[in-house]
Amino acid sequence: MSTLRRLSLTAVLASALTGCLPYSQNEGEYELVPTETLRDDCDLLERFEGNLQLSLQISGRVVRADFGVQNMQLLGYFLEDGEAFTADGSVANVSTTVDGTNECLLDQVRVHLDATTQCSTEFSGQLRLAYDANNNPGCTCELWFRFDGVQGNTRCEGSP
C-alpha cells in the first residue's frame, strides 16, 4: 500500500472516529457559578466573581480551556468514562493585589479543575486556585470552590 494511500486512510479513519466520541459537552464559553466555597484564604472569590469564565475547546480526549482569571490556559483530558474531565494550568511572575491592599509579586498562580458533564450545556465540578509567593507568606493563599459551568444561561432540564 502506498504511503499516500495509507495516510489518506488514516485521516479518514481518524475523522470518522472523532465524530463517534462519547463527549457530549459543547465547546464554547461557560460561566462558572460558585455553589460552595471550600476554602478562601484571601477572599479571592469575591474579587473574581464576574470573571469566572471558561472558553472550552475539545479535540479528541484533549480539553483546552482559556480561563478568565489571570488570562490562563488550562490543558487536560476527558477521563475513560467520557463524562468527567480534568485540566490544569499555571502562570508565573504575576503582579496582583491580595486582601484588597497587599501588593504581591507571585512566583506562580496554579489552577486545577475537575468537572463532570451534566448535559451538553452544563458541567459541575471543583476548582482550586493557588497563589504562590515564596518570599512573602502574606501573598500565599488558596481558593477552592465547587461550581456549575453553564453555557449561555442554558442549564440542564431539572437544574435549579
Side-chain angles (χ1 to χ4, degrees):
M1 182 182 287
S2 74
T3 303
L4 181 57
R5 187 170 176 183
R6 195 174 12 240
L7 290 173
S8 296
L9 185 58
T10 303
V12 168
L13 182 59
S15 176
L17 288 175
T18 300
C20 297
L21 291 176
Y23 314 127
S24 60
Q25 196 67 62
N26 286 348
E27 291 185 314
E29 301 292 324
Y30 286 83
E31 179 182 356
L32 302 185
V33 180
T35 58
E36 180 183 2
T37 303
L38 304 171
R39 177 178 176 176
D40 192 356
D41 300 339
C42 301
D43 297 321
L44 294 175
L45 187 58
E46 182 179 313
R47 179 173 169 226
F48 292 136
E49 275 196 278
N51 284 330
L52 293 172
Q53 285 108 21
L54 202 65
S55 179
L56 192 63
Q57 300 125 34
I58 302 167
S59 177
R61 284 186 58 209
V62 176
V63 174
R64 291 184 193 276
D66 294 323
F67 184 50
V69 175
Q70 303 297 344
N71 297 317
M72 184 182 304
Q73 186 169 84
L74 309 180
L75 183 61
Y77 56 92
F78 274 92
L79 303 178
E80 294 282 326
D81 69 2
E83 295 301 323
F85 58 95
T86 185
D88 295 282
S90 65
V91 291
N93 299 321
V94 174
S95 179
T96 192
T97 304
V98 173
D99 287 331
T101 57
N102 195 6
E103 267 305 310
C104 298
L105 178 59
L106 303 173
D107 295 299
Q108 189 174 46
V109 177
R110 295 175 289 120
V111 171
H112 176 78
L113 177 136
D114 290 312
T116 302
T117 297
Q118 302 302 312
C119 67
S120 63
T121 60
E122 186 176 350
F123 54 86
S124 61
Q126 182 173 308
L127 186 135
R128 187 179 100 194
L129 173 75
Y131 279 7
D132 296 326
N134 294 333
N135 295 324
N136 190 344
C139 295
T140 298
C141 53
E142 292 191 30
L143 166 64
W144 299 12
F145 65 95
R146 289 193 172 101
F147 65 86
D148 290 331
V150 182
Q151 186 177 46
N153 287 328
T154 308
R155 288 187 175 267
C156 304
E157 286 187 36
S159 291

